Amino acid sequence: MKKIVGVVKKNIGGWLIMLPSVVLFAFFVWIPLIQNVLLSFYDTVGFEKKSFAWFRNYVRVFQDPIFIKALTNTFFYAFWSIIIGFLLPIGIGLLLSELVHGRGMFRIGIYFPSIVSGIAVVIMWSYLFDPNPGAVLNSVLAFFGREPSTFLSNAKITIPLIVLTMTWRGCGSTALIYLSALQSADNALYEAARIDGAKARHRMIYVTLPHLKPTIRMLFILQIISVFQVFYEPLVMTKGGGPNGASVSMLLLSYQYAFSSFDASASAAVGVILSIIIIALTLLYFRFSRSEQD
């Protein structure tokens, strides 16, 4: 009986220690989340609830052509982030693991963009991608005798260029995570592979990648969740999602509904739809991952 009482007291003490964190998390995350869901079911004037609207706000949002454009663009952001931003950190991590001299210097160099303010990064790249003939990259193209590019004014390449900017800032920290995972690999496996005559590409396929598989899975879903929340990059780099909505994302559209159109109910509805998509993709991913493990 004394043991049971001791275990109960210990658990109560643990809960009391966690209570402030739980309260703060609920106050800053769960309460706003619930309020946002409730707001999406009301007609609003500005940010004030007026009458219960059932699903009219969702119907209204889906009938808005810009929402369909934003939904499509968000999936394009995810696609290009996998093509550009997902594979690059793995390659950088593998290269860093093979370095013998100057490894510390290269680590600092690739991590440095991650500590720069995100707004500062997108402003810098906006100057680089300026479509004016006298801008930085167009001046370089002119030096080599090439025609100037429209860059962010070209609807076909706007999203890839924004994803490239995001990758430049974030791939360094991700590469260091892969490097840390590589350094924890068992060297005996590599020695056994070398003794068996395995070449470098075979060691990478059969030793390195299986070791990195859990890290790749975790960072893959985190990147998808992060990219689905892209916001200030198109807001700053394309002046609100241009040209003609070619770069507008769902989170940016939610912001525009709220603070440009002052339509809080539509903004809340877009936020709920975005949350459902992220949750659905996450569950789908974990289901496939679990089936592979089984």
Side-chain angles (χ1 to χ4, degrees), residues 176-187:
L176 292 182
I177 294 176
Y178 284 118
L179 177 62
S180 176
L182 286 168
Q183 290 177 339
S184 65
D186 189 357
N187 289 327

Side-chain angles (χ1 to χ4, degrees), residues 72-108:
T72 305
N73 287 345
T74 303
F75 279 96
F76 274 124
Y77 277 112
F79 170 76
W80 282 108
S81 73
I82 294 172
I83 299 299
I84 299 174
F86 182 68
L87 299 177
L88 184 61
I90 299 176
I92 293 175
L94 291 171
L95 289 175
L96 286 176
S97 67
E98 298 296 327
L99 286 177
V100 177
H101 303 290
R103 183 181 295 181
M105 181 185 67
F106 281 104
R107 287 180 184 177
I108 295 172

Side-chain angles (χ1 to χ4, degrees), residues 123-181:
I123 291 175
M124 180 187 73
W125 281 89
S126 296
Y127 282 117
L128 292 176
F129 292 139
D130 192 325
N132 294 319
V136 178
L137 289 182
N138 275 333
S139 297
V140 174
L141 291 176
F143 178 80
F144 289 101
R146 303 294 299 273
E147 292 293 326
S149 174
T150 54
F151 291 115
L152 293 172
S153 298
N154 186 343
K156 295 181 180 179
I157 62 173
T158 300
I159 290 179
L161 291 179
I162 292 175
V163 171
L164 179 63
T165 302
M166 297 164 60
T167 302
W168 181 84
R169 180 174 182 262
C171 74
S173 57
T174 307
L176 292 182
I177 294 176
Y178 284 118
L179 177 62
S180 176

